[in-house]
Amino acid sequence: MSTDLTKLPLDQRIRLVQDLWESIAAESDAIPVDPEHVAEAKARLQEYRLDGEPGDSARAAVEQIRRGL
């Protein structure tokens, strides 16, 4: 089955993507995660906890990114 999605209006295509993503997120427990990615996430979390530096707030980070654009 082949459908030319470009024939749909942009707002309908965006909604389709959002609906698809939400359906995937609803079953995120079923998505396998590479053990190396889990190990890396755990290592980064441990480094963060040992560092004690919380970093910038989300607002400050966004402002810094915008200044760099």
Side-chain angles (χ1 to χ4, degrees):
M1 176 179 159
S2 177
T3 304
D4 188 0
L5 297 174
T6 60
K7 292 181 181 179
L8 291 173
L10 181 59
D11 63 327
Q12 287 183 6
R13 287 183 279 156
I14 291 171
R15 185 70 218 159
L16 182 63
V17 170
Q18 290 172 330
D19 290 346
L20 180 59
W21 186 251
E22 288 171 8
S23 73
I24 291 169
E27 299 178 36
S28 62
D29 291 344
I31 299 171
V33 179
D34 186 317
E36 290 181 23
H37 293 162
V38 173
E40 180 65 22
K42 287 181 178 181
R44 290 182 182 199
L45 179 59
Q46 182 64 21
E47 286 180 35
Y48 166 77
R49 287 179 174 156
L50 291 174
D51 182 7
E53 173 61 42
D56 294 334
S57 69
R59 177 171 283 143
V62 169
E63 288 174 8
Q64 182 179 5
I65 291 167
R66 286 187 176 148
R67 283 193 302 268
L69 295 178

